[in-house]
């Protein structure tokens, strides 16, 4: 389950339905079940939603759990009213604990996702460095980086062009920003350029301060990948440039 995640609409529906079903399942044993134990079962339902949903769905699940605890598991049954002061306190604690635990679950999932992403990105860079260190030809390193860029940035296509700079293409800069050209805006665009079918974006390969060529990215229309993914792409291009420089190829400015 840790590898899957609800889409937002599904998560919101689950936030309403899962606590409802959990409370409904406890109805046959509610007379012999302490309210605190019933509340703990509903907290588990909230955590399940939070682990696979969004922050909003986690909060909604906590509210849903408190409401269905009141409706199904406290007297008078079948009404949104609580006769016993202890049950009122339990319902309030259920809401507070549910909100707190759901936030922690969402944060933990995000941290786990960040660690996994960092590990995968490091593996990409290590793989390219290992290829160069093991005596791979510059062309092999360039081809390896080209394939990695397609997967990393979710590209339609990517090719490498040796030689002089021709034209003024949008450019993925060393800081991860997308430069669209002075006539179309400064660096920092949030979306890939939408000029199709000629919507190429250049990512330059520079080694030892010399320009050797550029990766011509053909992205899918839509928002840019994460900043971290773009910075990894820049680092991969730099590794290709370093491999070309180490090989002593003639640079083109």
């Amino acid at each position: 389950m840790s590898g899957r995640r609800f889409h937002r609409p599904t998560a919101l529906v689950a936030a309403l339905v899962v606590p409802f079903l959990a409370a409904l399942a406890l109805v046959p044993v509610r007379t012999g079940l302490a309210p605190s134990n019933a509340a703990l079962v509903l907290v588990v339902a909230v955590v399940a939603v939070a682990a696979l949903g969004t922050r909003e769905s986690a909060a909604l699940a906590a509210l849903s759990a408190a409401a269905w605890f009141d409706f199904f598991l406290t007297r008078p049954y079948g009404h949104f009213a609580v006769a016993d002061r202890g049950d009122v306190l339990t319902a309030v604690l259920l809401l507070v604990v549910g909100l707190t635990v759901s936030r922690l679950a969402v944060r933990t999932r995000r941290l786990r996702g960040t660690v996994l992403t960092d590990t995968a990105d490091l593996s990409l860079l290590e793989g390219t460095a290992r290829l160069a260190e093991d005596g791979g030809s510059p062309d092999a390193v360039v081809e390896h980086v080209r394939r990695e860029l397609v997967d990393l940035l979710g590209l339609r296509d990517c090719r490498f062009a040796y030689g002089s700079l021709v034209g003024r293409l949008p450019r993925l800069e060393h800081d991860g920003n997308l430069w669209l050209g002075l006539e179309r805006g400064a660096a920092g665009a949030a979306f890939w350029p939408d000029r199709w079918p000629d919507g190429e974006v250049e990512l330059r390969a520079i080694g030892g301060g010399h320009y050797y060529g550029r990766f011509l990215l053909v992205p899918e229309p839509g928002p840019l990948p994460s900043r971290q993914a773009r910075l990894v792409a820049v680092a991969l291009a730099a590794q290709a440039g370093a491999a070309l420089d180490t090989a002593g190829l003639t640079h083109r400015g």
Side-chain angles (χ1 to χ4, degrees), residues 12 18 38 69 157-158 165 185 191:
L12 294 177
V18 172
F69 172 80
D157 195 12
C158 177
L165 293 169
F191 291 83

Side-chain angles (χ1 to χ4, degrees), residues 184-206:
R184 286 171 286 154
F191 291 83
W192 290 115
D194 56 0
R195 298 182 302 121
W196 302 105
D198 299 320
E200 290 183 326
V201 175
E202 69 174 18
L203 174 57
R204 297 179 179 179
I206 297 175

Side-chain angles (χ1 to χ4, degrees), residues 146-226:
R146 187 196 67 79
R147 292 196 304 266
E148 296 292 1
L149 289 175
V150 171
D151 292 336
L152 177 65
L153 301 177
L155 304 175
R156 280 185 176 185
D157 195 12
C158 177
R159 62 189 178 91
F160 187 77
Y162 293 91
S164 301
L165 293 169
V166 177
R168 295 176 60 84
L169 294 176
R171 183 169 65 249
L172 194 59
E173 298 279 34
H174 68 278
D175 58 2
N177 284 328
L178 180 63
W179 183 81
L180 296 178
L182 297 178
E183 72 280 4
R184 286 171 286 154
F191 291 83
W192 290 115
D194 56 0
R195 298 182 302 121
W196 302 105
D198 299 320
E200 290 183 326
V201 175
E202 69 174 18
L203 174 57
R204 297 179 179 179
I206 297 175
H210 303 304
Y211 167 77
Y212 288 95
R214 54 183 175 173
F215 292 94
L216 295 172
L217 319 176
V218 183
E220 296 285 357
L224 294 176
S226 69

Side-chain angles (χ1 to χ4, degrees), residues 32-228:
L33 186 66
S36 58
N37 292 334
L40 287 176
V41 173
L42 294 181
V43 168
V44 172
V46 173
V47 172
V49 173
L52 297 175
T54 62
R55 180 182 299 177
E56 294 81 4
S57 64
L60 182 59
L63 293 170
S64 176
W68 296 123
F69 172 80
D70 178 7
F71 188 83
F72 286 117
L73 304 175
T74 63
R75 298 178 188 274
Y77 298 130
H79 298 277
F80 288 108
V82 184
D84 186 86
R85 180 175 297 178
D87 290 343
V88 172
L89 179 59
T90 301
V92 172
L93 289 175
L94 169 60
L95 177 59
V96 172
V97 171
L99 289 171
T100 302
V101 171
S102 64
R103 290 186 64 184
L104 290 174
V106 171
R107 182 175 299 178
T108 299
R109 190 189 66 230
R110 287 180 175 175
L111 289 174
R112 183 171 60 247
T114 300
V115 171
L116 292 175
T117 300
D118 288 345
T119 301
D121 292 342
L122 182 59
S123 178
L124 290 180
L125 297 173
E126 287 181 341
T128 306
R130 190 178 305 112
L131 178 61
E133 291 173 358
D134 290 345
S137 69
D139 287 340
V141 175
V142 167
E143 174 59 19
H144 174 80
V145 170
R146 187 196 67 79
R147 292 196 304 266
E148 296 292 1
L149 289 175
V150 171
D151 292 336
L152 177 65
L153 301 177
L155 304 175
R156 280 185 176 185
D157 195 12
C158 177
R159 62 189 178 91
F160 187 77
Y162 293 91
S164 301
L165 293 169
V166 177
R168 295 176 60 84
L169 294 176
R171 183 169 65 249
L172 194 59
E173 298 279 34
H174 68 278
D175 58 2
N177 284 328
L178 180 63
W179 183 81
L180 296 178
L182 297 178
E183 72 280 4
R184 286 171 286 154
F191 291 83
W192 290 115
D194 56 0
R195 298 182 302 121
W196 302 105
D198 299 320
E200 290 183 326
V201 175
E202 69 174 18
L203 174 57
R204 297 179 179 179
I206 297 175
H210 303 304
Y211 167 77
Y212 288 95
R214 54 183 175 173
F215 292 94
L216 295 172
L217 319 176
V218 183
E220 296 285 357
L224 294 176
S226 69
R227 185 176 186 83
Q228 179 167 324

